[in-house]
Amino acid sequence: MQDASAKILEVHYNDLLDNWVASLLQSARQKRQAEPQLRDQCRQFLGALIAALGRSATADISGRDWDEVRGLLTEISNTRARTGFSPSETAMFIFALKNPVFAVLSQALSATPEALAEQNRAVDTVLDQLGLYTTEVFQKSREEVIVRQQQELMELSTPVVQLWDNILALPLIGTLDSGRTQVVMESLLEKIVETGASIAIIDITGVPTVDTLVAQHLLKTVAAARLMGADCIISGIRPQIAQTIVHLGVDLTDVTTKATLADAFVIALKRTGATNMPTAAAR
């Protein structure tokens, strides 16, 4: 029965396309998208939809007959997820097509109410499924964007700085969780390989609290750096943090710790045998 709908929609293709685009452009959000681009998306999708309706014997959009339709919707949904559209605005790309389609079917099948009702039900089922599909794809794409942004923020918040020949500094700010520890470790190890540094100062002045988990993360980072041939100094050990570490029973006896980054820098210069020490460090 969907083949009948496909033939009707194909005959009224131009009117259907114009009415659909006009309906979409009534939305303030859609107006932000260039009309030629929107019309091109609608044109491609409408052609694929009519072809799929003509091929498919059922209203199930998961079959191979609907591959092209799903592919176009995936591309459209991913683009909208990256450009600030909401899930409902993205789903409206499909749902705004309903009224134009029903109007065309009503015009063509007005003399046969039963056939009209059947075609309306079939097309309505298809469009509902496609609308839900756009929402699912959109949500997945948004989650991927958020994860990527979080990863980029973590990388930006863990810069590895070369302070001196053979001396690196890694200032940490904020909470140190498992995910961020992995980024910290990778950034530090890559910089050690790149520079051949023998000392890495991990400054935790900006870390608000140190618990057992944070301490374990720090020790893992120190161990990884040592495997790459670099020794680590932890600076920024404030009195309250020192008390917490003692209370937790965390063993940092194998790690050099200093109260400030400046103190750690002086130790690092001495260990590397620097001859031209900065004036502040020399004092």
Side-chain angles (χ1 to χ4, degrees), residues 51-74:
L53 286 171
R55 290 191 302 264
S56 179
T58 70
D60 183 4
I61 67 165
S62 62
R64 295 184 61 183
D65 291 332
W66 295 88
D67 286 351
E68 183 182 2
V69 173
R70 292 197 308 272
L72 286 170
L73 280 183
T74 297

Side-chain angles (χ1 to χ4, degrees), residues 169-189:
L170 176 60
L172 297 178
I173 300 174
T175 304
L176 193 63
D177 57 19
S178 299
R180 192 170 176 214
T181 298
Q182 186 64 32
V183 174
V184 167
M185 209 178 290
E186 290 176 359
S187 299
L188 181 58
L189 297 183

Side-chain angles (χ1 to χ4, degrees), residues 73-104:
L73 280 183
T74 297
E75 182 180 347
I76 292 170
S77 297
N78 287 341
T79 299
R80 294 186 172 211
R82 294 192 296 267
T83 53
F85 283 79
S86 70
S88 60
E89 289 165 342
T90 302
M92 278 305 296
F93 178 80
I94 295 298
F95 294 139
L97 179 57
K98 280 191 173 186
N99 286 338
V101 166
F102 293 154
V104 165

Side-chain angles (χ1 to χ4, degrees), residues 153-154 156-159 170-177 180 184 202-209 218 238:
L153 285 174
M154 283 195 293
L156 288 173
S157 64
T158 54
L170 176 60
L172 297 178
I173 300 174
T175 304
L176 193 63
D177 57 19
R180 192 170 176 214
V184 167
I202 301 176
D203 184 68
I204 63 171
T205 303
V207 177
T209 58
L218 287 173
R238 303 187 299 279

Side-chain angles (χ1 to χ4, degrees), residues 163-168 198-201 231-235 255-274 277-278 280-283:
L163 294 181
W164 207 258
D165 288 342
N166 296 319
I167 302 175
L168 301 176
S198 58
I199 300 289
I201 301 172
D231 198 12
C232 287
I233 302 172
I234 298 178
S235 64
V255 182
T256 302
T257 59
K258 288 294 177 181
T260 67
L261 178 58
D263 292 338
F265 188 33
V266 170
I267 296 297
L269 288 169
K270 290 179 179 178
R271 287 187 182 180
T272 58
M277 301 176 84
R283 292 201 301 270

